[in-house]
Amino acid sequence: MLAATADALPPVVVHSRTMRVVDGNHRVRAAVLSGRQEIAARMFEGSADEAFVLAIRLNTVHGRGLLLTRADRTAAAGRLITTHPHWSNRMIASLTGLSAGTIGRIRDQEAAADDSAGVRVGKDGRARPVDGSGARIKVYELLLSDPTASIRDIAQRGAAVRSPGHWIRPLEPRTRGLRT
């Protein structure tokens, strides 16, 4: 069926360094079956890891052809955890079409998962600590040494502090709109 419509299909994507097909293996096979000697292709410039990420993105999102099975997506997530250990579970989940919880379970099972850096990059591109307890302990110690220090002083001493309103406002009693 795909071999009969090979003329109307979009170009395949090929990694220029390795000449491996990143997206369009079924289209290449259809072209071979229909006896074609040439097929339209777009060349991808980048590393092998970047080509793998592109292949996952194209094969889980575009909706053309045959999509990846759950087993394929799980295997891809395992490889992404190995090649990009600093990426967050949500970032990998958005690429593979799996849930962040599933990525967390796969990460726990992977022996190659390296959290030695202690930082992961989220979908928004911001780096966040895997374990935030170190910053909280540092703030605690700074407050013990100087109980009158402002949040600005603590932040300038190198401790990660959110804005005070972030955690104070929810503790304030809700008095607006109440009659006395």
Side-chain angles (χ1 to χ4, degrees), residues 28-61:
V28 170
R29 182 75 177 136
V32 169
L33 289 174
S34 66
R36 294 182 59 194
Q37 297 293 320
E38 294 180 0
I39 186 169
R42 290 184 305 151
M43 302 304 281
F44 172 74
E45 300 289 333
S47 70
D49 287 341
E50 291 169 336
F52 180 70
V53 171
L54 178 63
I56 293 169
R57 181 175 289 131
L58 291 174
N59 283 291
T60 56
V61 178

Side-chain angles (χ1 to χ4, degrees), residues 138-139 142-143 149-161:
K138 188 171 184 177
V139 169
L142 289 171
L143 284 172
S150 69
I151 290 181
R152 180 173 287 160
D153 291 337
I154 292 170
Q156 288 174 345
R157 294 181 197 173
V161 180

Side-chain angles (χ1 to χ4, degrees), residues 104-172:
R105 286 188 289 280
I106 294 169
R107 188 183 297 273
D108 290 341
Q109 295 170 0
E110 290 288 324
D114 180 19
D115 288 336
S116 61
V119 176
R120 290 195 190 139
V121 178
K123 284 179 16 178
D124 60 359
R126 294 175 53 194
R128 292 179 179 80
V130 175
D131 180 13
S133 63
R136 288 191 297 275
I137 290 170
K138 188 171 184 177
V139 169
Y140 175 75
E141 290 170 350
L142 289 171
L143 284 172
L144 282 179
S145 66
D146 185 6
T148 61
S150 69
I151 290 181
R152 180 173 287 160
D153 291 337
I154 292 170
Q156 288 174 345
R157 294 181 197 173
V161 180
R162 287 184 164 179
S163 66
H166 183 79
W167 54 274
I168 292 175
R169 282 190 202 109
L171 300 177
E172 292 176 355

